[in-house]
């Protein structure tokens, strides 16, 4: 099993988000995550890659406290997540879920302003400043014109942008995204990943996204973490870690690599490529 040097963390440094020797299991069941250690730097887009059941979503839920982990295994800006209350974590770490279910018929602006909830006291309503922040987030993501639309009546891609805006007004420091391109069409897949990349570059956002498509990760991610059976198989810069050998092992299939943009490559399962060529 390959071990990348990124695992050898300098504990004297403080990163926006890091995990050290993280273990997690549901109850007394089989461990889902084992000895997961990684640091996520400021302004970095990190993609979590692996087959279904490899632990990607579970890891995201550990990183924001949904899944309770042992002490000294998850750190936010150098502080053990165990030393922080839920509101403090929520003000620094936002989560965009994989699904976008119908909710009560709120307007888009009201859905976006829900991201301010961790900053409000019990029974306190959002004020004008909260709405200004929500409007700016929507405008920055190109959906400001939808502010008064019914959230349930806009497209799936537009919903995802609105939920990203809500996460942005909650916290632009650290954003966790579970399959951000799920159910999106060709254009919107690239659009939302471009927006996330822009947040990293322009605002210094630390983004960690669980992704299915390695080619999308290669195109947008600065770093990738390869998860296999709940462990980090390899991790580091996308162009260095995403090799044919690693993709073959990660997805349990032979792949064919196509070079692009210098040192980077796209990957297609070799069997699918052969089938397509035989039919053409």
């Amino acid at each position: 099993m390959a071990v990348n040097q990124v695992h050898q963390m300098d504990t004297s440094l403080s990163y926006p988000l890091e995990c050290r020797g993280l273990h997690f299991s549901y109850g007394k069941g089989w461990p889902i995550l084992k000895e997961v250690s990684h640091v996520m730097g400021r302004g970095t887009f990190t993609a979590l890659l692996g087959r279904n059941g490899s632990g990607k979503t579970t890891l995201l839920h550990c990183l924001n406290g949904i899944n309770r982990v042992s002490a000294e295994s998850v750190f936010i800006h150098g502080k053990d997540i165990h030393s922080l209350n839920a509101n403090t974590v929520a003000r620094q770490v936002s989560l965009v879920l994989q699904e976008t279910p119908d909710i009560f018929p709120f307007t888009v602006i009201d859905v976006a302003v829900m991201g301010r909830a961790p900053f409000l006291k019990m029974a306190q309503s959002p004020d004008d400043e909260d709405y200004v922040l929500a409007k700016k987030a929507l405008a920055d993501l190109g959906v400001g014109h939808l502010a008064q639309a019914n959230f349930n009546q806009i497209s799936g891609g537009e919903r995802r942008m609105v939920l990203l805006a809500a996460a942005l007004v909650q916290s632009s420091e650290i954003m966790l995204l579970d399959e951000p391109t799920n159910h999106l069409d060709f254009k919107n897949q690239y659009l939302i990943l471009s927006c996330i990349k822009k947040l990293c570059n322009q605002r210094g956002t630390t983004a960690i996204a669980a992704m299915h498509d390695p080619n999308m990760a290669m195109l947008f991610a600065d770093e990738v973490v390869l998860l296999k059976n709940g462990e980090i198989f390899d991790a580091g810069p996308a162009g260095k870690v995403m090799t044919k050998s690693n993709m073959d092992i990660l997805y349990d299939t032979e792949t064919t690599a196509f070079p692009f943009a210098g040192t980077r490559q796209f990957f297609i399962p070799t069997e699918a490529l052969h089938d397509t060529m035989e039919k053409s």
Side-chain angles (χ1 to χ4, degrees), residues 136-178:
K136 184 177 188 307
L138 291 170
D140 288 347
L141 294 174
V143 287
H145 62 289
L146 296 174
Q148 299 306 318
N150 184 318
F151 179 80
N152 292 340
Q153 296 175 358
I154 60 178
S155 72
E158 290 167 338
R159 286 192 194 188
R160 194 62 57 87
M161 287 296 186
V162 174
L163 294 178
L164 185 59
L168 188 58
V169 299
Q170 177 185 332
S171 173
S172 62
E173 292 185 54
I174 303 167
M175 299 184 72
L176 309 178
L177 304 108
D178 193 3

Side-chain angles (χ1 to χ4, degrees), residues 58-279:
T58 300
L59 178 56
L60 290 181
H61 290 178
C62 289
L63 294 177
N64 81 333
I66 290 177
N67 290 336
R68 188 71 170 169
V69 296
S70 59
E72 298 187 351
S73 57
V74 173
F75 295 82
I76 299 172
H77 294 298
K79 295 182 179 179
D80 188 345
I81 196 171
H82 274 252
S83 70
L84 307 172
N85 62 39
N87 242 26
T88 300
V89 172
R91 291 178 182 182
Q92 299 177 79
V93 184
S94 57
L95 173 66
V96 180
L97 296 172
Q98 181 177 153
E99 299 297 332
T100 55
D102 288 348
I103 59 176
F104 292 109
F106 292 114
T107 62
V108 162
I109 186 64
D110 284 332
V111 172
V113 85
M114 288 177 186
R116 297 300 295 167
F119 299 88
L120 304 178
K121 297 178 181 178
M122 185 71 69
Q124 180 183 359
S125 298
D127 59 20
D128 290 345
E129 183 178 349
D130 294 317
Y131 276 96
V132 168
L133 291 173
K135 288 178 182 178
K136 184 177 188 307
L138 291 170
D140 288 347
L141 294 174
V143 287
H145 62 289
L146 296 174
Q148 299 306 318
N150 184 318
F151 179 80
N152 292 340
Q153 296 175 358
I154 60 178
S155 72
E158 290 167 338
R159 286 192 194 188
R160 194 62 57 87
M161 287 296 186
V162 174
L163 294 178
L164 185 59
L168 188 58
V169 299
Q170 177 185 332
S171 173
S172 62
E173 292 185 54
I174 303 167
M175 299 184 72
L176 309 178
L177 304 108
D178 193 3
E179 299 294 347
T181 61
N182 192 36
H183 302 315
L184 297 186
D185 63 29
F186 181 75
K187 174 185 176 181
N188 282 320
Q189 289 181 36
Y190 286 89
L191 180 61
I192 195 164
L193 291 175
S194 295
C195 286
I196 295 166
K197 183 73 170 181
K198 186 181 295 184
L199 291 174
C200 294
N201 292 339
Q202 297 183 355
R203 297 197 183 193
T205 299
T206 299
I208 302 95
M211 300 178 68
H212 272 309
D213 188 340
N215 296 326
M216 285 289 195
M218 178 68 91
L219 191 60
F220 289 97
D222 302 300
E223 292 201 348
V224 295
V225 174
L226 309 183
L227 280 173
K228 188 175 180 66
N229 300 323
E231 299 178 273
I232 292 183
F233 169 68
D234 204 354
K240 181 177 181 180
V241 171
M242 295 184 67
T243 63
K244 169 181 161 43
S245 175
N246 275 353
M247 294 299 99
D248 288 356
I249 295 170
L250 186 69
Y251 293 108
D252 297 313
T253 188
E254 182 182 352
T255 61
T256 299
F258 295 88
F260 84 102
T263 62
R264 300 201 173 197
Q265 304 176 88
F266 274 169
F267 303 93
I268 296 176
T270 302
E271 184 178 355
L273 184 64
H274 287 170
D275 288 345
T276 301
M277 293 177 68
E278 287 175 0
K279 293 176 181 177

